[in-house]
Amino acid sequence: MTNRYQVECLLRPPVEFFSAGLAISIAIMVFGFENWLYMPPSVASVAVIGFTGFGLWRFRQGTRIVSYHKCLRKLPRFTLQRERIPISEHQLYVGKGFRWEARHTQRLRDCLLPHNARYFQSSSATEIGKRLSLSCERIGLPSIASILQIDHWLNPFRPPSGVGGRPEIHGVGLWEGEKPLYSPISERVGHTLVLGTTRVGKTRFAEILINQDIRRGDTTIVIDPKGDAELLKGMVAACQAAGRLDKFLVFHLAYPEHSARYNPIGNYTRITQVATRIANALPAEGNAIAFREFAWRFINIVAQALDSLEQRPTYRLIHSHVSNIDNLLIRYGQLWLQKHGPDDWKDRIEQMQYGLTGSANDRERPKVPSLTNAERSHDIHAVSVARILVQVMQEFGTSDPVADGLLSAFKYERSYFDKITASLGPFLEKLTTGAVAELLSPDYSRPDSRPTLDWMNVIEQHAVVYVGLAALQDAMVSAAVGSAMFSDLTATAGEIYAQSACRNMTYPRKNEISPISLHCDEFNELIGDDFIPMLNKAGGAGFQVTAYTQTWSDVEARIGNRAKAQQIAGNFNTLHMLRVRNKETAELLTDMLPKVQVAQMTTVSVAQHQSDPTSEKHFGSAVQDRVTTSDVPMLEPGDLTRLPKGQSFMLMEGGQLFKLRLPLPQSKDQDLPPNIEALTAHMKNDYHSKLDWARDDWWQNNMPPNQQVGEDFRNLISDASVSRQENSVHQQTDAKHPDETANPFTPKGETA
């Protein structure tokens, strides 16, 4: 409704009812007593119609005032079944709401005035119902107390909704009506940031977006550090509705025996990425940064050697060779000597070893330099290979970077080497202990019924992947795997972008790059330096990132650099702000909004006394209403700290601000497969309390009563893998392992 007055003045009693009642009364009087009023019938008819119309018009104005007051106190419930979430090729449904303008800022500022506080107080019926409910509980009538607490319109004592916050923030626009809000799909490639404190609806909002991505046919990857069972259930339901259940894959650190396998360091475009992904998880504060650089160097040496030996790096192999580099040096040294050394290299090694271990009285023992202090801590055979390798390289005047790196690491004394890699050993031990070791360090030479994640194959198959990192059980392992996963995805995006591999990855609907929807809950626990190129360069490869976190301070603490954190924030073109508890976080939105003019009415009372005795006027008074305007921010940070649960502000398309309510997803339990329903129930019961999930015997000792759940879920994954193998046209063979066939979710070169 367009306001033709400078001040709306909506927070006032509905005085229109008085004039409406008077007009209707006059119409009734004229209609019933026209003869007594000496009015001709034609005049009486016109009067009745006129007064009735005027009364109804005024009554409608009064009801709008009452409706406005009601919207400020309580909002209607908003739920939506997962199956009824709108799907569009060009628009992304985000909820219901309205565009926020200057008049909404004016109304919100009016709500903060002290004399308007009475319009936001709970009704008398609500207070009576609260007291009755407490009384019924005290006298032993809990059933009646529960009935009084039912949130239904038939309950006259219905309590306020449990969403908290201040409903007037949305009520100032709800009065005029709200409509479904959509965000253009074309804007998603600019990435989306969702901020909100704990338990205000971030994950439920993510479920709404993920549901649409799955049903639209996008490649959908969800990284969930906490492990939300409802989110997993919603993804399975969406896959079932879209007919994509055979392309659904689960990776979960808390359930390694029933999860797909994944090698976070097995795929790379540059060999240095292996060391970076591992070293990024090590401490980097103060003096620890020097030890991290040492650790990076030795990991890089091991990774280069494994790559030269045509062996895919894994956490288990890295841990084994960093702890004891002798075996790797022997293998690589013999390989190099076989290719580039003299024909008698084996005899030289045997003579060197005999010279180091033979009896001192043996006359035939060749004379060789005695062992140094560093060499005494290593295997004799490794020392022999190292010495012959150095001799041959000097004789031929050649060098090899990998061999030089191995020899430089070999020269360190074992105790000194252990000290400078002290932070690396315990970390790698966590990743290579128990059942989780088989999950993160798959044995490619041994057949396994579980598929293995490879992001390029996932993208080619338009698959749906759920990643549960179990951050509540072991935050360090979760952060390490998540950070390495981001690095792997960034490398995959670079490969798609640089080599144009996406030409064969098109929509089934039209010829264009297939969108890759990446949803990252609690992404502050996962990001590293590789996340920045993911945001500002991966859009050309079809990646569209939606990141969820609580405060921006968490991101700054994780990155350790305020400038880099601001660089990350600058790469999100769409911002959703739910309730936050941090002023700096709220200012990410409020600082980007313009100032608007707000009107304020001031009552001025003036009394004057005339002191001139000759004047005819001895006293004067005046009362004035003055309207002044001032520039205020469109939103204050405090407004974002008072948002109810399930509500947010959305800033998109170059500064357009919208206020929206998020629907609460609902789904019928019987729509899901029984095995998935049982699995999610098991996650709800046991996920948060089992802290020793990485032990080998944990699953066996804590198997739920329905032991068929895990087997059914494994069969589901296995059946999906078989179906993908039959239908896939993208099976490839790794050049390093030409005799092995890859399944759709197995890295090229592995045996499924």
Side-chain angles (χ1 to χ4, degrees):
M1 182 182 68
T2 303
N3 180 36
R4 66 177 186 271
Y5 301 105
Q6 190 172 6
V7 180
E8 282 185 314
C9 196
L10 297 173
L11 293 177
R12 57 175 175 78
V15 295
E16 290 86 353
F17 288 153
F18 297 108
S19 57
L22 179 61
I24 296 296
S25 300
I26 294 176
I28 294 174
M29 184 182 302
V30 172
F31 179 77
F33 305 99
E34 61 178 83
N35 293 331
W36 291 17
L37 297 175
Y38 300 102
M39 297 179 66
S42 58
V43 176
S45 299
V46 172
V48 168
I49 294 173
F51 281 111
T52 301
F54 178 77
L56 293 176
W57 176 59
R58 294 293 287 172
F59 181 80
R60 180 177 177 273
Q61 290 181 328
T63 56
R64 290 178 65 84
I65 297 297
V66 173
S67 175
Y68 179 71
H69 296 170
K70 183 179 179 181
C71 291
L72 297 179
R73 290 194 301 270
K74 191 171 184 179
L75 300 175
R77 187 176 179 85
F78 182 26
T79 60
L80 186 63
Q81 292 185 0
R82 295 187 180 104
E83 297 78 10
R84 301 183 64 87
I85 297 175
I87 304 297
S88 171
E89 296 287 342
H90 308 288
Q91 299 290 329
L92 180 71
Y93 177 76
V94 294
K96 291 197 306 185
F98 54 89
R99 183 169 180 176
W100 189 274
E101 298 178 347
R103 67 177 184 274
H104 301 112
T105 303
Q106 174 72 67
R107 295 170 187 169
L108 189 58
R109 295 295 167 262
D110 291 341
C111 293
L112 298 177
L113 298 178
H115 61 271
N116 292 329
R118 65 181 186 275
Y119 295 104
F120 313 106
Q121 297 175 354
S122 301
S123 63
S124 301
T126 300
E127 296 297 329
I128 294 173
K130 185 185 299 183
R131 290 195 295 268
L132 287 176
S133 177
L134 294 175
S135 301
C136 291
E137 287 182 343
R138 284 197 299 267
I139 64 178
L141 298 174
S143 58
I144 297 179
S146 300
I147 293 175
L148 292 173
Q149 293 297 315
I150 295 177
D151 187 8
H152 195 274
W153 65 272
L154 290 176
N155 180 14
F157 307 108
R158 60 190 299 190
S161 58
V163 297
R166 300 300 298 269
E168 65 267 19
I169 298 178
H170 193 84
V172 296
L174 179 64
W175 169 62
E176 296 175 329
E178 55 184 0
K179 61 181 181 180
L181 291 180
Y182 294 86
S183 173
I185 293 292
S186 58
E187 289 291 316
R188 295 197 66 190
V189 74
H191 311 304
T192 303
L193 176 63
V194 181
L195 292 167
T197 189
T198 307
R199 312 304 299 174
V200 296
K202 291 194 308 296
T203 305
R204 300 284 75 82
F205 179 53
E207 189 175 340
I208 298 295
L209 304 184
I210 294 167
N211 182 285
Q212 298 176 71
D213 292 338
I214 294 175
R215 293 167 62 192
R216 194 183 301 110
D218 297 350
T219 299
T220 306
I221 303 169
V222 178
I223 302 178
D224 182 14
K226 296 178 296 185
D228 191 284
E230 288 298 323
L231 180 60
L232 175 58
K233 183 188 294 185
M235 291 181 64
V236 175
C239 288
Q240 189 179 39
R244 303 179 65 188
L245 194 57
D246 62 327
K247 295 185 178 181
F248 178 65
L249 202 61
V250 173
F251 171 82
H252 207 306
L253 287 175
Y255 301 94
E257 305 232 355
H258 307 282
S259 166
R261 302 180 299 167
Y262 174 60
N263 182 5
I265 59 176
N267 298 317
Y268 46 85
T269 55
R270 298 188 307 273
I271 190 60
T272 55
Q273 293 174 350
V274 176
T276 300
R277 294 175 192 177
I278 298 177
N280 280 344
L282 300 178
E285 295 83 12
N287 295 330
I289 191 170
F291 291 95
R292 189 174 79 163
E293 294 300 323
F294 275 117
W296 184 95
R297 178 174 179 268
F298 291 121
I299 296 170
N300 188 52
I301 291 172
V302 172
Q304 290 185 66
L306 290 174
D307 185 69
S308 299
L309 293 171
E310 298 186 352
Q311 189 171 7
R312 192 184 300 272
T314 64
Y315 284 125
R316 181 173 286 173
L317 288 175
I318 295 293
H319 183 216
S320 173
H321 294 311
V322 167
S323 302
N324 184 5
I325 204 170
D326 295 358
N327 183 45
L328 187 62
L329 175 64
I330 292 172
R331 291 172 56 199
Y332 185 81
Q334 291 177 347
L335 177 66
W336 191 90
L337 290 171
Q338 183 178 0
K339 291 182 178 180
H340 308 287
D343 296 336
D344 62 341
W345 64 271
K346 289 184 179 180
D347 296 335
R348 291 192 184 188
I349 293 176
E350 291 179 359
Q351 292 179 3
M352 179 64 70
Q353 187 171 349
Y354 178 64
L356 294 173
T357 59
S359 173
N361 298 326
D362 190 350
R363 296 180 179 179
E364 296 181 358
R365 175 190 175 192
K367 295 182 179 180
V368 297
S370 59
L371 292 172
T372 64
N373 292 332
E375 289 176 338
R376 290 191 180 94
S377 62
H378 294 283
D379 181 73
I380 293 297
H381 184 49
V383 174
S384 303
V385 172
R387 288 187 173 186
I388 298 303
L389 186 63
V390 172
Q391 290 179 7
V392 171
M393 293 175 67
Q394 290 177 350
E395 290 177 7
F396 287 80
T398 61
S399 64
D400 181 79
V402 178
D404 292 341
L406 289 171
L407 290 171
S408 65
F410 187 78
K411 292 178 182 178
Y412 287 105
E413 188 179 354
R414 178 67 60 84
S415 59
Y416 177 75
F417 185 84
D418 292 340
K419 289 179 182 179
I420 61 178
T421 60
S423 60
L424 179 62
F427 169 69
L428 289 176
E429 192 167 348
K430 286 186 176 183
L431 298 174
T432 56
T433 302
V436 73
E438 296 293 334
L439 190 68
L440 298 177
S441 300
D443 187 353
Y444 300 123
S445 62
R446 187 182 65 184
D448 197 309
S449 61
R450 297 172 296 178
T452 305
L453 272 179
D454 178 79
W455 294 122
M456 185 62 73
N457 290 329
V458 165
I459 295 170
E460 290 175 352
Q461 297 297 321
H462 303 289
V464 178
V465 181
Y466 172 83
V467 178
L469 297 178
L472 297 179
Q473 281 91 336
D474 196 325
M476 187 175 183
V477 173
S478 170
V481 176
S483 179
M485 190 172 288
F486 266 134
S487 300
D488 195 1
L489 284 167
T490 303
T492 302
E495 184 178 351
I496 294 174
Y497 189 80
Q499 301 180 7
S500 300
C502 56
R503 292 177 181 174
N504 295 326
M505 289 174 267
T506 57
Y507 267 134
R509 305 180 299 273
K510 51 190 175 181
N511 294 326
E512 61 179 18
I513 295 177
S514 173
I516 304 161
S517 299
L518 178 60
H519 296 265
C520 309
D521 196 9
E522 305 294 343
F523 86 108
N524 57 285
E525 300 180 4
L526 312 172
I527 59 175
D529 291 338
D530 286 337
F531 190 71
I532 297 176
M534 166 68 77
L535 293 177
N536 56 24
K537 297 181 177 64
F543 278 78
Q544 44 194 28
V545 180
T546 305
Y548 311 80
T549 189
Q550 296 181 9
T551 68
W552 196 248
S553 300
D554 296 334
V555 179
E556 293 183 1
R558 174 69 180 180
I559 294 295
N561 189 305
R562 186 179 182 87
K564 286 186 177 180
Q566 295 299 324
Q567 184 181 3
I568 292 175
N571 282 282
F572 289 103
N573 289 341
T574 302
L575 176 62
H576 289 266
M577 186 78 72
L578 289 84
R579 183 201 300 173
V580 295
R581 301 297 300 169
N582 184 282
K583 179 181 177 183
E584 289 74 17
T585 303
E587 288 176 346
L588 285 177
L589 174 64
T590 58
D591 288 350
M592 290 188 290
L593 300 177
K595 290 188 175 182
V596 296
Q597 285 194 343
V598 171
Q600 183 177 5
M601 183 163 27
T602 306
T603 300
V604 180
S605 178
V606 180
Q608 294 180 341
H609 177 71
Q610 182 59 261
S611 59
D612 186 3
T614 61
S615 175
E616 297 180 355
K617 184 178 179 181
H618 301 288
F619 180 82
S621 64
V623 178
Q624 301 176 356
D625 285 337
R626 295 180 181 177
V627 178
T628 58
T629 59
S630 58
D631 291 335
V632 299
M634 182 173 281
L635 283 178
E636 296 281 0
D639 299 331
L640 301 176
T641 64
R642 299 182 296 129
L643 280 174
K645 296 178 182 178
Q647 295 189 21
S648 73
F649 283 95
M650 177 177 65
L651 187 68
M652 66 174 186
E653 293 187 292
Q656 298 184 32
L657 183 65
F658 294 86
K659 177 66 183 66
L660 60 92
R661 289 195 298 152
L662 315 176
L664 179 64
Q666 291 183 335
S667 181
K668 299 179 181 179
D669 293 339
Q670 59 269 25
D671 293 340
L672 298 177
N675 50 1
I676 298 296
E677 181 64 29
L679 178 64
T680 54
H682 177 66
M683 290 175 61
K684 288 181 180 179
N685 294 333
D686 297 338
Y687 174 79
H688 62 281
S689 60
K690 305 302 181 184
L691 303 180
D692 52 352
W693 54 271
R695 300 179 184 174
D696 287 332
D697 59 343
W698 180 86
W699 183 265
Q700 301 297 332
N701 296 335
N702 297 273
M703 181 67 72
N706 184 7
Q707 299 194 13
Q708 189 63 28
V709 172
E711 188 64 29
D712 289 344
F713 190 67
R714 180 183 294 182
N715 292 337
L716 175 66
I717 294 178
S718 179
D719 293 343
S721 177
V722 172
S723 175
R724 286 189 294 268
Q725 288 178 349
E726 294 175 352
N727 298 327
S728 173
V729 296
H730 297 288
Q731 295 180 355
Q732 300 181 23
T733 303
D734 197 330
K736 296 182 180 179
H737 306 275
D739 57 331
E740 298 175 350
T741 302
N743 70 31
F745 294 111
T746 301
K748 302 174 179 62
E750 302 177 21
T751 301

